[in-house]
């Protein structure tokens, strides 16, 4: 009876029917294309293997970069039994059977490398179920995820496994893979130079996707070299990797926001286009763009916020794709606007002070006294009406009695805040003058 979940026990598929990606699966770690930052002699896996001490791992990276292949080869390198499961299709009963089989295998002197694809799909209880079997050596866990492990995996599991980041394949890596495919097929791809570059671009860093595209190209019965135009008409460009609720969503919105903060309108427009092309909701983008105006431009350019709100309203009236241009215009304006987070930082400091001082009441002199009882309590005593004061400024204290005066708003010397800084300094000078006269 075949071992449960042992993928090596299936009947072999005839060579002619095996997908190209399967036929080109590396036989050794040295055959793996890309990922030198993980597999090199001084890289984490290279060092572990050289020391003969492999720990549990979590591979984090996009699809088609070799997570499954590397896990399988690690089992070969360490003479461990390879078992592969997917978190999508595996429940608690199946996991119990996997652990029991690994336990029996260990009693017979054979270790088990358990590869868990999409490990982030397991809930907290299921992830916790791996811990005792990792700790007693029943299994060596290798998890694979496309999502940020910091957010998706339990701290307890992460503390027992090293996270290794696998990167999308670059154009050079994909070209090497294409050449390997041509040697396997026995002929060159019928593409001119530009069409070949377009094919690699279509793969978007995914080696498996490239091999699938190559299989389609080699199935065509053409005796001529194909151009980019012909290739594009026959093949659809691979959909951009973008998950509106996943890690890529946060990566791209971070890139967009930081491009604006860095005063780079070209980069900002690029990331806006990437998110829209990936299917992002323009209303989400309108909200975030408005937030940028409040957080990073602030009073250095007070009209920036209004312009963002107008762009948001324009989108609501026009819809897509016409309304997206209004968002692009607002984004360009923000990128080129003078920057200041002075109000943002001042508000954070004021919030911290408010939490620290608790329920301190305002000073009596700025409290209204609508009743005789309140007047008897001294409400309003000594209040100076600013319009009656010299320069329209009394210089009175408006903080709680006994609280040291807070200084939170520190305007920058950029844009409109230059003028506000002059006003802040002006009132600070008057306040010092009034206080000196009262002492």
């Amino acid at each position: 009876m075949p071992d449960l979940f042992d993928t090596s026990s299936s009947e072999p598929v005839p060579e002619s029917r095996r997908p190209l990606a399967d036929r080109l699966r590396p036989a050794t770690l040295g055959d793996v294309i890309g990922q030198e930052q993980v597999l090199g002699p001084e890289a984490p896996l290279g060092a572990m293997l050289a020391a003969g001490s492999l720990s549990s791992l979590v591979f984090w990276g996009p699809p088609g970069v070799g997570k499954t292949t590397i896990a399988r080869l690690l089992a070969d390198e360490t003479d461990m039994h390879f078992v592969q499961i997917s978190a999508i299709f595996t429940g608690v009963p199946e996991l119990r059977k996997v652990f029991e089989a690994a336990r029996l295998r260990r009693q017979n002197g054979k270790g088990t490398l358990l590869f868990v694809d999409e490990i982030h799909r397991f809930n907290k209880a299921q992830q916790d179920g791996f811990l005792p079997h990792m700790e007693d050596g029943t299994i060596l866990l290798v998890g694979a995820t496309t999502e940020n492990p910091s957010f998706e995996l339990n701290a307890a599991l992460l503390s027992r496994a090293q996270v290794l980041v696998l990167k999308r394949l670059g154009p050079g890596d994909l070209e090497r893979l294409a050449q390997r495919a041509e040697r396997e097929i026995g002929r060159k791809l019928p593409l001119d130079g530009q069409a070949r570059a377009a094919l690699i671009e279509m793969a978007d860093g995914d080696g498996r996707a490239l091999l699938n595209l190559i299989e389609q190209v080699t199935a065509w019965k053409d005796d001529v070299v194909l151009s980019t135009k012909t290739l594009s008409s026959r093949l659809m460009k691979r959909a951009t990797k973008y998950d509106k609720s996943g890690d890529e969503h946060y990566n791209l919105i971070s890139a967009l926001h930081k491009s604006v903060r860095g005063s780079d309108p070209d980069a900002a427009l690029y990331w806006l286009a990437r998110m829209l092309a990936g299917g992002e909701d323009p209303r989400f983008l309108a909200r975030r763009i408005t937030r940028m105006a409040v957080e990073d431009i602030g009073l250095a350019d007070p009209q920036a916020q209004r312009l963002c709100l107008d762009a948001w309203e324009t989108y609501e009236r026009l819809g897509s794709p016409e309304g997206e241009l209004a968002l692009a215009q607002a984004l360009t304006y923000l990128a080129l606007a003078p920057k200041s987070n002075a109000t943002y930082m001042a508000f954070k400091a004021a919030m911290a002070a408010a939490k620290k001082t608790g329920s301190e009441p305002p000073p009596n002199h700025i409290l209204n006294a609508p009743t005789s009882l309140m007047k008897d309590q001294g409400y309003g005593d000594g209040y100076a009406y600013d319009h009656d004061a010299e320069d329209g400024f009394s210089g009175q204290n408006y903080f709680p009695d006994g609280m040291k005066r807070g200084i939170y708003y520190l305007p920058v010397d950029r844009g409109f805040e230059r003028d506000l800084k002059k006003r802040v300094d002006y009132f600070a000078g008057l306040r010092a003058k009034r206080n000196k006269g009262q002492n």
Side-chain angles (χ1 to χ4, degrees), residues 209-253:
L210 176 66
L211 294 177
N212 291 339
L213 291 170
I214 289 174
E215 255 186 325
Q216 294 181 58
V217 171
T218 55
W220 300 335
K221 308 301 181 184
D222 288 286
D223 297 326
V224 296
V225 175
L226 304 178
S227 66
T228 303
K229 182 178 180 181
T230 304
L231 180 72
S232 299
S233 67
R234 296 187 185 184
L235 291 179
M236 293 294 293
K237 180 177 173 64
R238 182 172 179 265
T240 303
K241 182 171 75 73
Y242 186 73
D243 180 354
K244 288 188 285 184
S245 61
D247 196 49
E248 198 68 13
H249 164 85
Y250 297 105
N251 288 341
L252 266 60
I253 195 61

Side-chain angles (χ1 to χ4, degrees), residues 335-392:
L336 296 173
K339 306 298 189 297
S340 172
N341 71 341
T343 301
Y344 175 72
M345 298 304 293
F347 183 62
K348 286 179 65 176
M351 286 292 290
K355 291 177 182 177
K356 183 177 180 180
T357 54
S359 303
E360 289 285 348
N364 278 355
H365 65 269
I366 62 172
L367 297 177
N368 290 328
T371 69
S372 58
L373 175 62
M374 297 168 80
K375 288 179 181 177
D376 292 341
Q377 293 296 316
Y379 284 26
D381 283 355
Y383 174 63
Y385 188 53
D386 286 84
H387 293 290
D388 293 337
E390 181 183 354
D391 299 317

